[in-house]
Structures are given as structure tokens and as C-alpha cells.
Amino acid sequence: MSTALYGLRENKRIGRVMRGFSSHLFLILISLIIGMPFIWMISTAFKSPQEVAIFPPIWIPERLRWDNFVVAWESAPFGRFYINSLIVTGWGVVMEVIIAALTGYAFARIEFPGRNLLFMVMLAAMMIPGQMALIPNYVTLFHLGWINKYAGIVMPHISSVFGAFLLRQAFLSMSGELFDAATIDGAGHLRSLLNLALPLARPVVATLTLYLFIAKWNDYLWPLIITNTQDMRTLPVGLVMVRSAEYNIGPEHLMAATLFVLVPVLLVFFMAQRQLIDGIAAGALKG
Amino acid sequence: MDAATISSSRQGVSRWNRRKITDWLAFLGFTAPNFILLAVFTFWPVLYSFYLSFYRWNMIAPTKKFIQLENYARMLEDPIFWQVLRNTTILAVSTVCIKLTIALFLAVLLNQKLKGRDVYRAIVFSPTFTTSVAIAMVWSWVLDPYYGLLKLPLRWLGLASPAWLTDPNWALPAVIIVVIWAGIGYDMVIFLAGLQAISADLYEAARVDGATTWSLFRHVTLPLLSPTTFFLLIISIVGAFKAFDIVAVMTGGGPLNSSNVYVFYLYQNAFRWFKTGYASALAVVLFVIILVITIIQMRLSRRWVHY
């Protein structure tokens, strides 16, 4: 009897080990499928033109060709693209976070008749696909004289619904007594927001900032439409341009140039990976 | 009541009023920037798109010609529009089916106590935040029919690589593969969050009743996960109707519109061919499609989703 029981337990243990093993096998397979294109890109960026044209491919080139990056950088005004992307992303993120904080605070902490109705109006904006606004916004910006200007790239996309919603939740979850105390001490709403609400909501603000940074850095369609000279292109738009035949550069240079665009995003991702993933999961569950 | 209390209560009322008015002003001041921006760049475009869809205009000419419903009538007769709609539907359905299935499976695996869980999660999630233009660039090279990476596993299977991006039969599948590759991580993370919200006690109770792993999954996990699944379903289908970057960079909608999708066709009409009126009609229909999908799924989810 005891041996039979032992055997059963042993079977269960083996079963668990096997299941763990097959889980790892499948997860490693998927990780490889997801990871390989990245490794392939990096590997290609260091190859010589001859090494690029070998099949089956080699993974580690004979010599690391750092000069691929120099050639890629000089094939187009990438310095300028970088500055443009930094300016546009920086301004966009700062303004959108400010707007999100102001709106979120107002909806969480300031009484106003019809506040809930206004909140619904704001949420309704989420139902409108941004792609619908391409032509109207182009026309509006044309009248404002903002075509091919930084303002034209930034302004249409700094209104905040998701961020305002997120921060409102954060501000609502704070104790009301704190705010009452601040009011009794004579603090106005702006002071309460700056000295009380925002510091307490720092993790949410940080996640929102990172998320907006990545989203704005990656944006392609709108800058493509609104810019029309090379010196105003952002990195993603410039990168696609470089690929066209007139630049005549090989896959190794193209992958090097792709890395220019990706490096800031990958840095942010690996530094704050856990925060970003948890933020996404939490946001989706609440929303 | 003596004079002193009356005057103090009057003072109280006026202080209260003043407080209320400053609150209202603060509210208006705080929310005005956002609402002005939303009005100009989000709500106005809906009205203006409707308006423009009844006109013929090239975006440059000072005058627009009112043509009633002609743009919409043209859409019905435009074979490319129907092809684009078909492509977009194929993209939506195939990505939803394949992506959600794999993502759910991954999430279930990662919901166990497993060594290296966070590493797997980070790797699978990494494409979510990767610049889509960069993804398209890298994949164009992965799909290269001569020296591309994907040729390797195909050769192990004894298959020749199709000319993915230049063959009308393979361009759309190529786009689908990349969209799935790029989107799996997000779905997985959301599923994982959904799984973690399911109470462990439920599993314990079911297991005590002798439920097998499969019946646990079928009768506990799936029903309780249905709100998450519906959320991802909406996001994915709507995502297909908003897809642009991958198609624009990898195939440019070609060859012969075989991989053209809704927003890319809208973009072509608006900013390549300057058919502003027609493109606006497309935008209006896009708006309606997305609205209808959302409403249908909200209705269905009420019936099917078990909370």
C-alpha cells in the first residue's frame, strides 16, 4: 500500500516535471520567434555587403563593421531627424502630461455642475478613430499656418483622454482629508495639485510619461502627412525615406539606421520594462 | 436672533458662494485646454469629415463642388474599395483567431510558477513598444526571398520561400504574420492580468471535485476570462481597421492592392491623389464601421460574457 502511494506521488512529480519541461520548451520556442528578428537586425548591421549575401546566413560576421553606422548616419540628415524627434516627442509628452494632470485633478477633486456629463463627453472622444481626423486636421493646420512646423506635428495629439482618466483614478484613490487639510491651510487647487496630488501619484505619472514618450517617438502616419521637407522629418519618417532607391544603401546600412530609431525606445523599455507591462495590464483592466 | 449672528451667517453664505465660484472657475481653467484641443482636433473633424464627404474637392482649390451622395455611390462601385474591405476583414479575422489563441496559451503557461517567467514575458512583450516602422523594416529584410532569415526554417521544412512582398498571393499573409508577431505580447499581458484576477480558491474547489486540467480550463478559466477576451477582440478588430504603418512600409498596399488595407487606401486617396471628398467619405464609413463593431460587441458581450 505504501509503495503504491509512493509510486502515485512519484508519478505526479514526474508529471509536474514533464509539464514544466514542455512549458519551457514552448516558451523558449516563442521567445526565439519573437527575439530572432531583433538579433538578425543587429547581426546584419555589422556585416559586410558580401556577408549579407550569404545563404544560409551567418550570425556573427568575421569583423564587426562599425563603419556601417557611420555610412548609414551620413546617408541622410539623421542628426536632424534625431533633433526633430526629440523636440516633437519632448514637447508632446510634457504638454500632454500637464493637460492630463489638470483634467484628471479637476474631474477628481473640483465640484462643478454637469461634471459627470462633461466626463462622458471626454470619454466619447475615445470612440473616434484618429484616422478619421487626418484630412480635417490637415485643413485646420493649414489655416493656422502650421503645416511643416513642429507645432503642427505636436498640437493635434496632446489632448488627453486616457491619461486624464488614469490620473483621475489615482487622485480619487487618495484620501479626501488630505485635500481638505490643504484647503484649510489656504492652498488653492493648483497648489494642491502640484504639492499634494502629483507627488502622491508619482508612479502613475511616471508610467504615463514613459508610455507617451514611446507612443510619440514611434508615431509615423501624422508626421508623414504634416511634414514636407527633409529638414522637418522625424526619425521614423526619415528612416522609411532612406530606404527608397535613390539612397541606394544595402540591408546592412538599413538595419544600422533602423537601430538609430530603436535605441532610445529599447533603452526605455529595458529600464522600465516591469513598470510599463504592469501599467498596461492595470490600465486595460480598469478601462 | 440678534444682529451679530445674522451678519455672521450672511458672511458665511457669501464666503461659501465665493468658494463655489472659485471652484467653478478653477474647474473651467483646468479643463479648458483639454476640451479646446478635443473640440478642435477630435470632435470637429467628425463633423467636417461628414461635410466634406458630400463635396468634390482637391484640398487646394478655393471652391468645393457639392455633389450630394456621389462619393458614397462611387464607393459602392469601386472594386478597390471592396478589395480593401475584404483584405482588412481577412487581416482582422486571421489576426484575432491566431493571435488570441497563441496569446492565451502563452498566458496560461506564464501563469504558473515558472523559472524565468519575467524574462519570457519581457521578450514576448518587447514588440509592443517597438517602433512599428522599424518592425516593418526588419521584417522586410527577414522576408527577403534570397537572403532573408525566414528562408531558413522554410528550407528545413523543405519549402521554397515565396517572394513574400512582391507576390500578390503572399503580400497579405506577410502583413498578417508581422501583425501577429507584433501584437501577441500585448494580448498575452492582458490575458495574464485577467488570469491573475481569477481567484485561486475556485481552482482549488474544482480540483477537490475532481476536475481535470482541461475541464478546469474549459469550465473555469475560459468563462471567467471572457470579459478580457472580448476586450482584446474589440481592440484587435478595430486595430485591423486602423492598421497603417506595417502595410505602408512593407508593401505600400501592393502588389495590385493585394495587401491594401482601409486606412492606407484612405491615405492614398487623401494625400496622394488629393481626392479629399472621396477620402472623407471613406473616413465617415470607417467611423461607422468602428462604431458598429463596438456596439455589436457590447451587445454580444452582455449575453456571452460570464462575470
Side-chain angles (χ1 to χ4, degrees), chain A residues 51-80:
Chain A
E51 287 167 326
V52 165
I54 294 175
F55 193 87
I58 51 165
W59 286 95
I60 300 164
E62 206 171 296
R63 190 167 69 77
L64 294 184
R65 304 235 169 201
W66 291 97
D67 53 320
N68 282 347
F69 290 90
V70 180
V71 174
W73 187 266
E74 284 167 356
S75 68
F78 270 101
R80 180 74 201 211

Side-chain angles (χ1 to χ4, degrees), chain A:
Chain A
M1 162 109 190
S2 78
T3 46
L5 205 72
Y6 177 77
L8 195 72
R9 205 180 294 151
E10 186 69 348
N11 270 347
K12 260 193 178 166
R13 206 177 67 84
I14 291 173
R16 201 179 316 133
V17 169
M18 284 302 288
R19 200 187 300 157
F21 180 72
S22 53
S23 298
H24 276 291
L25 208 66
F26 184 76
L27 286 166
I28 289 171
L29 180 73
I30 294 283
S31 300
L32 279 176
I33 293 173
I34 301 284
M36 274 307 167
F38 289 109
I39 299 170
W40 170 249
M41 161 182 68
I42 296 168
S43 158
T44 304
F46 286 103
K47 285 180 186 175
S48 69
Q50 290 76 30
E51 287 167 326
V52 165
I54 294 175
F55 193 87
I58 51 165
W59 286 95
I60 300 164
E62 206 171 296
R63 190 167 69 77
L64 294 184
R65 304 235 169 201
W66 291 97
D67 53 320
N68 282 347
F69 290 90
V70 180
V71 174
W73 187 266
E74 284 167 356
S75 68
F78 270 101
R80 180 74 201 211
F81 297 159
Y82 243 100
I83 293 170
N84 291 341
S85 272
L86 283 173
I87 291 175
V88 167
T89 308
W91 269 113
V93 171
V94 169
M95 292 202 277
E96 188 164 341
V97 169
I98 292 174
I99 285 174
L102 287 171
T103 314
Y105 181 90
F107 279 112
R109 291 285 163 199
I110 309 178
E111 295 294 333
F112 189 76
R115 189 171 76 168
N116 289 340
L117 185 73
L118 280 173
F119 192 63
M120 296 308 283
V121 169
M122 188 179 87
L123 288 187
M126 268 208 280
M127 299 277 284
I128 300 167
Q131 289 74 5
M132 189 186 195
L134 298 173
I135 297 167
N137 283 351
Y138 190 92
V139 174
T140 304
L141 293 178
F142 176 81
H143 290 301
L144 288 169
W146 284 352
I147 303 289
N148 208 34
K149 299 262 169 53
Y150 290 136
I153 306 176
V154 175
M155 292 306 278
H157 299 113
I158 56 169
S159 63
S160 177
V161 178
F162 178 69
F165 181 81
L166 214 63
L167 285 175
R168 172 180 168 270
Q169 299 290 96
F171 296 154
L172 276 176
S173 71
M174 294 167 190
S175 140
E177 289 159 24
L178 275 174
F179 290 91
D180 294 342
T183 314
I184 290 165
D185 287 348
H189 286 299
L190 202 58
R191 268 247 303 280
S192 289
L193 172 62
L194 289 177
N195 297 343
L196 193 61
L198 278 180
L200 284 174
R202 206 171 330 165
V204 185
V205 176
T207 308
L208 180 66
T209 306
L210 290 174
Y211 174 76
L212 290 178
F213 169 82
I214 292 173
K216 288 178 194 297
W217 184 268
N218 290 347
D219 193 17
Y220 173 61
L221 176 52
W222 184 246
L224 171 71
I225 289 171
I226 207 69
T227 61
N228 53 36
T229 57
Q230 207 186 36
D231 62 316
M232 287 306 288
R233 302 293 194 193
T234 57
L235 268 173
V237 183
L239 174 65
V240 177
M241 229 174 50
V242 165
R243 189 188 49 171
S244 65
E246 57 193 294
Y247 289 87
N248 197 24
I249 60 175
E252 68 279 16
H253 301 127
L254 218 52
M255 290 303 108
T258 305
L259 272 166
F260 297 152
V261 184
L262 275 189
V263 163
V265 179
L266 292 180
L267 274 181
V268 169
F269 179 68
F270 281 112
M271 278 186 325
Q273 170 261 121
R274 179 177 285 272
Q275 205 178 356
L276 284 168
I277 296 180
D278 291 347
I280 288 278
L285 272 195
K286 278 184 203 137

Side-chain angles (χ1 to χ4, degrees), chain B residues 228-246:
Chain B
T228 314
T229 312
F230 264 96
F231 170 76
L232 289 174
L233 205 66
I234 299 177
I235 296 277
S236 300
I237 295 177
V238 169
F241 276 91
K242 290 178 174 179
F244 177 83
D245 298 5
I246 303 271

